[in-house]
Amino acid sequence: MSRLDEYVDGAVSTESKIDEVKVNKEFLTHMLEMHIAAGKILDQIKKHAFYRRDYDQAKIDRNLVTMLKLLTNLSYMTVDELEDAETVLDIDPRVFHASLGTATESVELLEALEFNGKEMDLVNIGEEFGDLNWYQAIFCDAAGIKWEDILDTNANKLFKANEARYKEGFSDDAANKRNLEGERNVLNNLKIKGS
């Protein structure tokens, strides 16, 4: 048994398990759409800083408008309304927990980056990466995927396979002109339970 298998077993032993997810679907959907819109803007900042990609003003504006509209809609909802309109989602609770947990931990990671001119707290940042790993372990178990297979598949996609994005090492060109079909072919080799 690998250390990753042991970590997955430990994470599963500390997981909060429920039979079904019951939430206000409209509220959840709006919050996810806002998170995604903010994430798309952050992705542009990342790609500008690290891949020398130009900003796309239209996409930034579109995502900001989306967030503003959603915020306006949500500002009228009360907690009582949220709870009164809860429904059961047709979703695997464990995969949902792992996905939502990863999203919320990524926010905590970003909060840890707010150093305001002070030295970054690398211990806190490391703790948040650890929490992200905990949720990944839950996903691996829920989906019946070996963590090593995820790592191997990702390595093939990025640098090992013949069609890997960075087969010849990182370049702005490779980062900006991805072979999405080739990458998907590599990803389709990931072993998932039931497939």
Side-chain angles (χ1 to χ4, degrees), residues 42-92:
L42 287 172
D43 191 53
Q44 278 207 44
I45 293 169
K46 175 196 74 176
K47 289 174 178 172
H48 178 77
F50 291 96
Y51 311 154
R52 295 178 182 86
R53 190 178 293 180
D54 292 335
Y55 285 112
D56 185 328
Q57 186 68 55
K59 286 182 181 178
I60 291 173
D61 291 346
R62 193 167 40 251
N63 285 300
L64 289 171
V65 167
T66 295
M67 290 168 47
L68 184 59
K69 285 179 182 177
L70 292 166
L71 275 172
T72 302
N73 290 341
L74 293 173
S75 66
Y76 298 105
M77 286 186 156
T78 66
V79 173
D80 289 337
E81 290 172 327
L82 290 178
E83 291 176 350
D84 289 344
E86 288 183 342
T87 59
V88 175
L89 300 183
D90 183 22
I91 191 168
D92 180 318

Side-chain angles (χ1 to χ4, degrees), residues 2-111:
S2 75
R3 290 189 67 205
L4 290 175
D5 289 336
E6 290 174 12
Y7 186 84
V8 170
D9 290 344
V12 169
S13 75
T14 61
E15 174 187 6
S16 170
K17 294 182 182 173
I18 59 175
D19 295 325
E20 60 187 18
V21 177
K22 187 175 181 182
V23 296
N24 181 307
K25 188 174 180 180
E26 178 185 9
F27 185 68
L28 170 67
T29 302
H30 285 353
M31 293 306 299
L32 292 175
E33 288 172 355
M34 272 196 318
H35 193 82
I36 291 165
K40 288 180 178 181
I41 293 170
L42 287 172
D43 191 53
Q44 278 207 44
I45 293 169
K46 175 196 74 176
K47 289 174 178 172
H48 178 77
F50 291 96
Y51 311 154
R52 295 178 182 86
R53 190 178 293 180
D54 292 335
Y55 285 112
D56 185 328
Q57 186 68 55
K59 286 182 181 178
I60 291 173
D61 291 346
R62 193 167 40 251
N63 285 300
L64 289 171
V65 167
T66 295
M67 290 168 47
L68 184 59
K69 285 179 182 177
L70 292 166
L71 275 172
T72 302
N73 290 341
L74 293 173
S75 66
Y76 298 105
M77 286 186 156
T78 66
V79 173
D80 289 337
E81 290 172 327
L82 290 178
E83 291 176 350
D84 289 344
E86 288 183 342
T87 59
V88 175
L89 300 183
D90 183 22
I91 191 168
D92 180 318
R94 297 184 72 214
V95 171
F96 182 71
H97 184 209
S99 301
L100 198 59
T102 300
T104 58
E105 290 299 332
S106 70
V107 170
E108 290 184 27
L109 177 62
L110 294 176
E111 287 175 330

